[in-house]
Amino acid sequence: MNLPTFAFWTTTDRDRLAIVGPHGAEISAGELLDASNQIARNLQALGVQPNDVVALCLANRPEVFAVALATAQIGAYLVPVNRHLTAHEAGYIATDSGAKVVITEADYIDRFADTPATVYSLGGGEGVRDLNELVCGPTDPPEHRRAGGVMTYTSGTTGLPKGVRRPLPDAPPEPIASSYAMFLLMYGMTPNDGVHLVTSPLYHTAVLYFATSCLHLGHTVVLMDKWTAQGMLERVQTYRVTNSHMVPTQLVRLLDYDDRKAYDVSSLRHMIHSAAPCPISVKYAMLEWWGDVVYEYYAASEGGGTMVTPQEWRKKPGTVGKPWQTAEIRILTDEGDIAAPDAVGTVWIKMAQGFEYHGDKDKTDKAWNTDGFFTVGDAGYMDADGYLFLCDRKADMIISGGVNIYPAEIEAVLIGHPNVLDVAAFGVPDD
């Protein structure tokens, strides 16, 4: 089964609304498709070939999708760079990834002063080229079309981050784009019938993935750059938003917003959250307010995962769900044995496609076991019915008097206090 993708929806209606910018600018599907084809052709003319890298450091702008759609059809890796990184950190990613081209904007040009890549910037700037040089010329699709992908840099908490690199198929881009759209069917979304709200920075793996997948499903994408509860609710009401991807902190702040009940949220159908444990009290409150439209999943930049519907969650409060059809989950003890139901161990995941940490064979080898499962170090347990419950990252676990204490449990209690905006709990040695 293959679903139509963004190019199909565009050829049937070039004037359909594809993107609404953070300040209300509207971009039609035809405009976005033309720009992506121009960028793709011009990148090829620069010498970007299959398996080459294009780094991207932009705010939440429509141009992000033009570049993403371009690299996805010339077999290149797109590396999103966190625009809040220092010059040293951002420059490291551009250099380590081997980026041939960096696309950025005026505020972030200095991050890439020392990179060997050719740098393009919105509006140009000293020492760089103007992005308009890439958005010009014929608008026909590029020649030698081939599926590209995204390489996200992750796990930099205790050192320099590494790119999660998956092999790219020698195949046309349409089947891969179709698989992205089909992923959303798992949540009950339907083609050509939705509005997706981007509430977080697009340099995050899941944020870009969900937004791009919604474009391929025929949905309009509405962008926010700096998130606020009021700004989100205004857009939900104005654009009749049906779905979004969120993090628990945003749910907490929505519940703390005094005027939240003044907005019409009846259009919401699939509000998906992940990235951190969600306190049970917060989830119950959101379900009471929005109804049974709050979905949750568990995954990492490396892959995933599990998913739980609101109806299932009500029966199993706190769960992050059962494995996707394309994934398998095991809980293993420190000795490598499969843990009994309800026994806490390390969460291991198996997917159809593997990955490597770019340029770090040792880290790659440590992430995988001999059965083809990988772990990012999360602790959790599965109940007798196969539902996964997370505790915390094993590296964050506090051991006191021989007892395992998970900071996430402490944080879940404190975040519920009306005077607490956000919280982080961690252990320190006590002689």
Side-chain angles (χ1 to χ4, degrees):
M1 174 185 175
N2 282 333
L3 289 175
T5 59
F6 174 71
F8 170 83
W9 300 115
T10 305
T11 55
T12 58
D13 183 7
R14 283 181 56 86
D15 294 329
R16 65 187 290 127
L17 181 59
I19 297 177
V20 179
H23 305 294
E26 297 186 351
I27 310 297
S28 72
E31 291 171 322
L32 180 60
L33 181 64
D34 289 350
S36 67
N37 285 342
Q38 289 173 321
I39 294 171
R41 295 172 69 94
N42 285 312
L43 286 174
Q44 286 181 327
L46 283 170
V48 175
Q49 300 177 0
N51 294 304
D52 283 344
V53 171
V54 175
L56 181 72
C57 185
L58 292 174
N60 281 11
R61 297 175 173 273
E63 289 84 357
V64 172
F65 297 99
V67 176
L69 291 170
T71 56
Q73 60 176 326
I74 60 172
Y77 285 101
L78 180 69
V79 173
V81 181
N82 183 337
R83 64 184 190 268
H84 301 296
L85 295 178
T86 65
H88 170 71
E89 295 165 329
Y92 157 78
I93 291 175
T95 301
D96 181 77
S97 66
K100 278 193 171 181
V101 175
V102 172
I103 296 174
T104 187
E105 56 187 286
D107 289 344
Y108 317 122
I109 291 175
D110 64 315
R111 313 291 205 275
F112 306 102
D114 298 325
T115 179
T118 303
V119 179
Y120 286 84
S121 173
L122 278 168
E126 185 176 355
V128 301
R129 303 176 70 169
D130 194 317
L131 181 58
N132 287 327
E133 295 179 30
L134 296 181
V135 193
C136 65
T139 58
D140 300 326
E143 297 180 354
H144 311 297
R145 297 175 74 247
R146 175 177 166 178
V150 177
M151 179 166 66
T152 304
Y153 272 68
T154 186
S155 302
T157 306
T158 56
L160 292 171
K162 293 297 178 183
V164 178
R165 186 180 179 108
R166 295 180 177 83
L168 297 177
D170 186 5
E174 282 74 24
I176 307 304
S178 179
S179 70
Y180 290 168
M182 288 178 62
F183 174 76
L184 299 178
L185 302 184
M186 181 174 70
Y187 298 91
M189 296 188 200
T190 51
N192 201 22
D193 178 33
V195 177
H196 177 79
L197 181 63
V198 174
T199 63
S200 302
L202 285 163
Y203 54 71
H204 287 303
T205 308
V207 180
L208 180 61
Y209 180 85
F210 270 85
T212 306
S213 298
C214 282
L215 274 179
H216 286 306
L217 198 62
H219 292 195
T220 296
V221 172
V222 178
L223 299 177
M224 297 184 71
D225 194 23
K226 183 173 178 58
W227 184 89
T228 66
Q230 179 181 352
M232 176 180 173
L233 293 172
E234 287 175 347
R235 287 168 174 82
V236 168
Q237 179 172 280
T238 300
Y239 297 105
R240 304 299 293 163
V241 169
T242 61
N243 62 78
S244 186
H245 181 282
M246 306 185 69
V247 296
T249 297
Q250 291 170 323
L251 305 182
V252 171
R253 293 182 184 178
L254 281 166
L255 291 169
D256 287 342
Y257 180 54
D258 291 338
D259 293 332
R260 61 187 174 90
K261 293 293 183 69
Y263 294 88
D264 180 3
V265 296
S266 60
S267 61
L268 300 180
R269 299 200 295 264
H270 303 95
M271 303 302 284
I272 302 162
H273 71 90
S274 188
C278 184
I280 291 177
S281 60
V282 171
K283 186 74 164 276
Y284 270 127
M286 292 304 302
L287 290 169
E288 181 180 353
W289 175 19
W290 284 353
D292 282 355
V293 302
V294 184
Y295 294 73
E296 184 173 0
Y297 74 94
Y298 163 68
S301 297
E302 291 81 353
T306 65
M307 191 272 285
V308 60
T309 67
Q311 295 81 7
E312 289 176 304
W313 190 91
R314 287 184 183 276
K315 297 176 182 177
K316 303 270 188 177
T319 185
V320 293
K322 285 186 171 183
W324 303 339
Q325 290 184 348
T326 56
E328 185 179 348
I329 304 289
R330 284 182 182 174
I331 307 298
L332 300 182
T333 66
D334 290 341
E335 293 73 34
D337 299 321
I338 296 178
D342 300 325
V344 175
T346 302
V347 181
W348 290 78
I349 305 171
K350 186 175 187 178
M351 296 185 65
Q353 188 181 37
F355 71 89
E356 65 178 12
Y357 290 110
H358 178 58
D360 196 332
K361 185 179 185 303
D362 183 60
K363 183 178 177 69
T364 301
D365 291 343
K366 289 179 179 177
W368 294 90
N369 68 15
T370 55
D371 292 331
F373 285 73
F374 73 89
T375 185
V376 294
D378 288 326
Y381 63 92
M382 295 185 77
D383 70 7
D385 297 320
Y387 285 88
L388 177 65
F389 292 77
L390 296 178
C391 299
D392 214 330
R393 283 285 169 101
K394 287 191 70 176
D396 295 336
M397 185 176 68
I398 303 164
I399 301 177
S400 179
V403 176
N404 294 343
I405 301 170
Y406 296 100
E409 296 179 348
I410 302 169
E411 294 162 355
V413 174
L414 294 178
I415 198 66
H417 193 284
N419 292 337
V420 174
L421 183 64
D422 209 344
V423 58
F426 54 92
V428 294
D430 183 349
D431 293 338

